[in-house]
Every structure is written in C-alpha cells, then in structure tokens.
Amino acid sequence: MKRSFSGSERTTYLRQMEEQDFDLLIIGGGITGAGIALDAETRGVKTALVEMQDFGAGTSSRSTKLVHGGLRYLKQFEIKMVADVGRERAIIYENGPHVTTPEWMLLPIYKRGTFGKFTTSIGLFVYDYLARVKKEERRKMLSREETLEKEPLLKQDGLIGGGYYVEYRTDDARLTIEVMKKAVENGVYAVNYAKAEEFLYEGGKVKGVVVVDQISGNRYRIFAKKVVNAAGPWIDTLREKDRSKEGKRLQLTKGVHLVFDQKRFPLRQAIYFDTPDGRMIFAIPRGGKTYVGTTDTLFQGEISNPRMTSEDRAYILNAVHFMFPTLNIREEDVESSWAGVRPLIYEEGKKPSEISRKDEIWLSDSGLITIAGGKLTGYRKMAEEVVDLVTDQLTREGHGRYQICRTKEIPISGGDVGGSHQFPQYIKQKALEGTKYNLTEEQARRLVLLYGSNIDRIYYYIEQYDHEAERYDLPVDLYASLLYGIYEEMVLKPVDFFIRRTGALFFQINFVRKWKKQVIQCMADQLHWSEGEKERYSLELEEYLLNAVTPSVSD
Ligand SMILES: Cc1cc2nc3c(=O)[nH]c(=O)nc-3n(C[C@H](O)[C@H](O)[C@H](O)COP(=O)(O)OP(=O)(O)OC[C@H]3O[C@@H](n4cnc5c(N)ncnc54)[C@H](O)[C@@H]3O)c2cc1C
C-alpha cells in the first residue's frame, strides 16, 4: 500500500523504521539526499532517510534557484563539470516542468568588463555546445540597442552589446520536496526533524544510527547495511562523529540574496552582470519581485541559520547601483532576503568564488560513504554515482543484484504532465477545470504551476473542505495548499509551509504577514498542538520574518 507523506504519521514511521533492516540509510534531506533516495529505491535498494530539520531547510532552499551549468566556471576551465551539469538541465526540466522552466538570461557586455564581445560569443557557443542545447535555445549575440531594448534599466555608459542565452529557473526547495515525494511514493521511508545523533558500529563498521526525534525527543535505532552522509554543510560534523575527518575537508562560504518589489525594481529580464570588484551576480524577475545575488564570503558562523549582515546588504546594493544607476535603490527597499552556506571542498590558497563546485565521494574506514560538494543542478548524476557505489558494494557482499540507474526517465512528483512540450496545454486545461471549484483561472493557473500533476489533490481538498476554509477565514486555495502540505508533504511547522512549500516568506512576505495567524490556528488544530507548541512555532515564524529584513551584526 502507498504510504502517505503526512506530518501526523512521523512517529509511526520512525517506529516502523526501527523494526526493519534497511539496505541504505541516508543522513540529510536536501536535494542530494532526496536524489540518492529516489535513485536507490527505484533500483531495488531498500532505503530510509532522516533529516534533522525540514526537508530542504539546509542549503537546498537557499540557492540562487537556477538549474545551470555555471557559465563562469568555463573561465576556470572546468569543462567537464560545465558539460555534465549543463546536460542535466534539460533532464531536470523534462522530469518536472512545473518546478523548472527555461529562462532567457542577458549578459550585458561593457568596455573592460569580465567578458568581451568575442569571448562572450565563443564562451556562450561552447556553453551551449557542451550542454547540447537545442537549436531554438542557442545563444544570440545582441547589439547595444537590442540589449537596452531587452532591459532599459541597464547602465548605458560603456555598454557595447549583450549575450542572450538560456538558463533554467527553479524553486530549489520544491524541487527537493518533489524528488523526496517521488522517492517516498516508490517505497522510501523519509522523516523530517529526525537527527542522526550518533553512529552504531559492529566490528568497526557502521551499521546504523541513533536518531533523535527533534519534536518529541524520542530516540530510535535504525539499522542499514550502508550509511550515506549527505549532510551538505554538516558532512564534516558527521565525519567527526565517525572519527574519519582526515585528509580532505569542507570550506563553507556564505551567499546572500535580496528581494525587491517590482514596483521599486521593475526588472524585465534576468541579467547576469559584473560587480565593481570583478565578480558576477544575477538579478532575476520572479512573481512580481526581483531578486539579486549572490555574495560569496568565507563562513565560520552557525550553519543552521546563516543571515544577511549589513556588509552583505551593502555589497549587493552597491552592485545594483553600479549596474542599474537610475534606480537609486536603498536599504529600505529590501523587502526580504535569504542566506545559504555552500558546502565546497577546501582548496589551499583559493578565494571563495575560485573554489571548484565539483563533487566527490569520500569513503571512511568504517564504511561511511560521504558525498561532498556539488551543485543543485548536478543532484541526479551525483545520486547515480553514489548509488552505483552502494549497489556495487552490496552485490560484492552477496546481497543480490540491482538494476542500473533509471532516474533519467522518471518524472518527479507532480511531473506527470505528458512531458515539457505538453505542459502549456496542461496548464490551460487544468486552470479551466479550476473554475469548477470557484477559483479564478489565474488562481488555478498559479496552483497548477506550483503543484503540476498533483493539482488534482489540491482540487480534492478544495471540494471536500471549502466550508472549513471559511471557518478559518482563509482563502480556499491557501487552505487547500496548507492541508495538502500537512497531509502529503510532511509540513510540521509554519516555517515549513511559508518558506519551503510555498516560498512565500521570500517572495510574498506581506502575504505571510497577512495570513500567518489563520494558518497557525489551522495547523494547531490539524496537528493537535499544545498551547506551548503553538507559541513556540509562532515565535519561530516571527523570528524568520524579522531576520529576512534585519541584518545581523556579524556571522
Ligand atoms: C548562495 C548559494 C547559491 C547557490 N546557487 C545555486 C544555483 O543557482 N544552482 C545550483 O545548481 N546550485 C546552487 N548552489 C549550490 C546548491 O544549493 C547546493 O549544492 C545544494 O543545495 C546542496 O544540497 P545538499 O543536499 O548537499 O545540502 P543541504 O541542502 O544543506 O542538505 C543537507 C541536509 O542534511 C541535514 N543534516 C545535517 N546533519 C544531519 C544529521 N545529523 N541528521 C539528519 N540530517 C542532517 C541538514 O539539515 C540539511 O537539510 C548554491 C548554494 C548557495 C549557498
């Protein structure tokens, strides 16, 4: 029977996990862990996953939200990585067009800029070639006039033209949850707010972990033949517990993004542009907002909750002012922000933005398998490498034979829309269907874009529970999203819903302020919170709302 992915079933699942012997236990529910879980289970490897926060709450909800090959890495001659990751873009898009979508990117070219006209033309050609980009999406070179037509806000002084090429925009946290949902649908046991506290060994080999439920405090012993450390920026913390932190290690760097309302920063076109100190950053329009980032600075602070500092904010505002001088953008225009920590592999003597984004697998004497580095975009290939290793080891140890990787052809949850070419038609049809549930076509369209083929579940909640939405004084589409989140996406706290399931705290912060009280009351009823829990979770949301706009003094 298909298991639900419900927040109210976590304790049951943790108990069931304790009673089984898994082939594979994954620590970490970011995109890396989710990808490994889906790949493994669909090859016949019996898999469990534990995540100490919410799924995607680490780096996988804090990125620039691009599925991209990383044009700038060409400059560092990381040809293989650009080619591998570049090719992944089309696969990720095909398997989940509701979460990932092509976006034309403009690279303005200036006299004495990072890229000249000739190097941009060649660079983008190579980029497209390596990524095997389809004909209609290949780069175009633009004149100065064409560049300004695409984006009139650009600095005109020194502008000589532009490169115009395709990248893919995504929602990192939703990509993570959709991959995780698909993994669970295939049989994976995955639980959030469940921390791998210590390793269990047998004859010096790791055989499982003690997991502590971060909500109840209960402890569980979960056993598996293989354990993968996919803890992103925390992998070294786990290697320390395993006494295997030697040789290579991580170098953490922090990246901050700022969000502006389109009324204040009416950017028409995604731009990849030079900063005054010779780096390159993005400005991207999205859902009535414009977001800009990222910084790249060494980080030694508390990993769980990195924040924007006043220097980070000043750096980005200065870069915006440099490229969009007529805007006169100011601190008070920043509507929201987020910060993330990159788990990069340490390289002697390199500056943060020079460190490679490649991934590596490290094996400890205890058998612990650690996956380090990498990018959101490369998650499927990284998963393939890890699961190849796991299945090889299992087969050699006499535990049977396993299939080869199939994830290239597996749509993620919500991705059953008949392929990317059918998606526009699918949106139209389902948006029209939404009017039967008293939604406007626009409301329904937004829901289809968010949930893809899971839209039928949202319509189910609307049909069954619209009278309850009225009781909570909530719009019916918001109420249905919330119920879907709780019962089918393991939403446990208001921040899970407002940050990682909807992205609202970043891109619709006033919407969060408007509906938080009703959402919290509804969650308290559905999840049977005590008064203490309700107060704690409300305060946590308030803290995130405050931190999104208030810089911290230091990291
Ligand atoms: C500012 C910034 C911008 C970026 N932009 C892009 C981009 O545009 N495109 C791109 O492709 N990549 C981008 N990246 C890189 C990308 O975001 C990361 O490579 C990716 O999200 C890492 O995923 P992960 O699953 O390895 O780590 P995480 O998402 O951090 O997941 C690790 C998880 O492990 C959990 N965990 C840790 N310890 C334990 C434990 N003891 N028990 C249980 N769970 C544990 C954590 O809570 C966490 O959720 C960016 C990164 C940053 C910081």
Side-chain angles (χ1 to χ4, degrees), residues 28 30-32 51-53 59-60 63-64 66 196 231 233 342 374 376-377:
I31 190 64
T32 308
E51 162 55 54
M52 71 175 176
Q53 310 178 81
T59 309
S60 299
S63 77
T64 307
L66 288 175
R342 297 178 189 83
L376 189 82
T377 312

